[in-house]
């Protein structure tokens, strides 16, 4: 019999890391189905007909789509007093973490992605400015959310830690490719220390992609963008 929880995804996707970390936190055993994307599988098209994107969580064959919604679903569907909570219990703290997670996906990551599509070095440097500004906002948000504790969520990683942390592999690739420091001890000391704690966390370390491997994938992607633009 198949596993009751499945994740349809692909290793380089930051969005796919999110449900995997959440399931690890909840000690849920699941099957990972690697989506090839070219062409998109029948299972993906059937499970996420609206966006046709990964990740998709299948719980007893019922699909849940959109990574942040999946993480919240996992928190609710696998909740017990022995398991860690992914979202804080305080409604205000919950709202603030959701606010910043929405900012990340709606504003910050699209700006970050645009850098890879910029045609010249100058355009890439200009494109990195809003990315850096966003990280300064998040540096401040860390101060307020963490209340002196190691993670945005306090003593343990939670919703906003997962939302931002899932991008760290790609941040490292961008730092190398563009020869810049995005999260650094000098400019964003809170985020710098937090990122090291996050990557070393038991629920995270197996899913954080290797920088060199991700860099190879990124180069292939950029070559595709360039070919499409010319
Ligand atoms: N908002 C979505 C974004 C997911 C997403 O962009 N997934 C990418 C892979 S990293 C994808 O499936 N892209 C395929 C496509 O755009 O056709 C989420 O949070 O789940």
């Amino acid at each position: 019999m198949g596993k009751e929880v499945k994740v349809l995804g692909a290793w380089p996707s930051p969005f796919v890391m999110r449900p995997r970390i959440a399931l690890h936190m909840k000690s849920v055993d699941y099957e990972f189905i690697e989506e090839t994307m070219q062409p998109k599988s029948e299972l993906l098209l059937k499970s996420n007909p609206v966006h046709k994107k990964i990740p998709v969580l299948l719980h007893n064959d019922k699909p849940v789509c959109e990574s942040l919604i999946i993480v919240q679903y996992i928190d609710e569907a696998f909740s017990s007093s022995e398991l860690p909570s992914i979202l804080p219990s305080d409604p205000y703290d919950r709202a603030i973490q959701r606010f910043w997670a929405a900012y990340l996906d709606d504003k910050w990551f699209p700006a970050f992605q645009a850098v890879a599509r910029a045609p010249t070095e100058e355009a890439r440097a200009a494109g990195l400015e809003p990315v850096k500004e966003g990280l300064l906002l998040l540096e401040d948000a860390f101060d307020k959310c963490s209340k002196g504790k190691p993670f945005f969520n306090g003593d343990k990683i939670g919703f906003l830690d997962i939302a931002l942390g899932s991008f760290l592999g790609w941040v490292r690739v961008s730092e190398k490719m563009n020869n810049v420091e995005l999260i650094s001890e000098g400019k964003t000391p809170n985020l710098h220390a937090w990122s090291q704690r996050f990557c070393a966390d038991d629920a995270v370390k197996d899913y954080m992609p290797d920088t060199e491997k991700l860099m190879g994938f990124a180069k292939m992607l950029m070559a595709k963008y360039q070919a499409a633009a010319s």
Side-chain angles (χ1 to χ4, degrees), residues 99-155:
F99 169 84
W100 283 111
Y103 166 79
L104 279 171
D105 282 16
D106 298 345
K107 290 255 189 234
W108 184 80
F109 192 64
F112 180 88
Q113 273 182 312
V115 176
R117 290 177 190 264
T120 61
E121 209 170 300
E122 291 73 42
R124 275 198 289 282
L128 281 167
E129 285 313 307
V131 173
K132 291 182 193 162
E133 282 160 24
L135 289 170
L136 291 178
L137 295 177
L138 287 155
E139 172 77 4
D140 194 45
F142 181 85
D143 207 27
K144 297 199 172 91
C145 292
S146 65
K147 300 171 189 153
K149 302 232 165 112
F151 296 105
F152 282 97
N153 200 40
D155 288 316

Side-chain angles (χ1 to χ4, degrees), residues 13-15 18 37 40 51-55 66-68 105:
S13 167
F15 301 105
R18 292 171 170 176
M37 301 297 264
K40 290 180 181 175
H51 298 300
K52 306 177 178 69
K53 289 187 177 186
I54 50 168
E66 287 295 306
S67 61
L68 293 176
D105 282 16

Side-chain angles (χ1 to χ4, degrees), residues 25-40:
M25 285 176 74
K26 298 287 188 175
S27 304
V28 175
D29 197 18
Y30 65 96
E31 181 184 348
F32 184 69
I33 306 172
E34 187 85 31
E35 168 63 40
T36 48
M37 301 297 264
Q38 285 165 338
K40 290 180 181 175

Side-chain angles (χ1 to χ4, degrees), residues 16-225:
V16 171
M17 273 184 74
R18 292 171 170 176
R20 302 192 83 183
I21 294 170
L23 288 168
H24 192 116
M25 285 176 74
K26 298 287 188 175
S27 304
V28 175
D29 197 18
Y30 65 96
E31 181 184 348
F32 184 69
I33 306 172
E34 187 85 31
E35 168 63 40
T36 48
M37 301 297 264
Q38 285 165 338
K40 290 180 181 175
S41 69
E42 278 305 308
L43 182 60
L44 174 58
L45 298 175
K46 185 179 82 180
S47 313
N48 190 355
V50 175
H51 298 300
K52 306 177 178 69
K53 289 187 177 186
I54 50 168
V56 176
L57 178 91
L58 295 154
H59 191 189
N60 295 321
D61 296 323
K62 287 192 295 189
V64 185
C65 303
E66 287 295 306
S67 61
L68 293 176
I69 292 174
I70 300 173
V71 169
Q72 295 181 70
Y73 173 79
I74 292 169
D75 199 26
E76 290 169 11
F78 303 97
S79 112
S80 87
S81 55
E82 289 100 68
L83 294 169
S85 286
I86 295 173
L87 277 144
S89 55
D90 180 81
Y92 185 76
D93 292 345
R94 247 189 343 256
I96 296 300
Q97 289 203 26
R98 286 179 172 137
F99 169 84
W100 283 111
Y103 166 79
L104 279 171
D105 282 16
D106 298 345
K107 290 255 189 234
W108 184 80
F109 192 64
F112 180 88
Q113 273 182 312
V115 176
R117 290 177 190 264
T120 61
E121 209 170 300
E122 291 73 42
R124 275 198 289 282
L128 281 167
E129 285 313 307
V131 173
K132 291 182 193 162
E133 282 160 24
L135 289 170
L136 291 178
L137 295 177
L138 287 155
E139 172 77 4
D140 194 45
F142 181 85
D143 207 27
K144 297 199 172 91
C145 292
S146 65
K147 300 171 189 153
K149 302 232 165 112
F151 296 105
F152 282 97
N153 200 40
D155 288 316
K156 289 202 170 128
I157 65 168
F159 189 62
L160 183 51
D161 297 281
I162 297 172
L164 177 59
S166 60
F167 294 129
L168 287 173
W170 282 96
V171 167
R172 286 179 184 153
V173 166
S174 177
E175 286 179 327
K176 281 201 160 191
M177 281 188 144
N178 298 303
N179 203 18
V180 283
E181 281 192 324
L182 295 174
I183 295 183
S184 67
E185 231 171 331
K187 294 231 168 63
T188 52
N190 283 334
L191 291 185
H192 186 256
W194 162 83
S195 69
Q196 291 182 343
R197 283 192 290 270
F198 181 81
C199 292
D201 194 276
D202 265 353
V204 173
K205 57 181 196 269
D206 292 345
Y207 309 113
M208 193 52 76
D210 174 75
T211 308
E212 288 307 313
K213 191 175 169 200
L214 200 55
M215 183 100 128
F217 181 83
K219 283 185 178 153
M220 194 193 72
L221 215 58
M222 284 178 76
K224 260 196 202 166
Y225 294 155

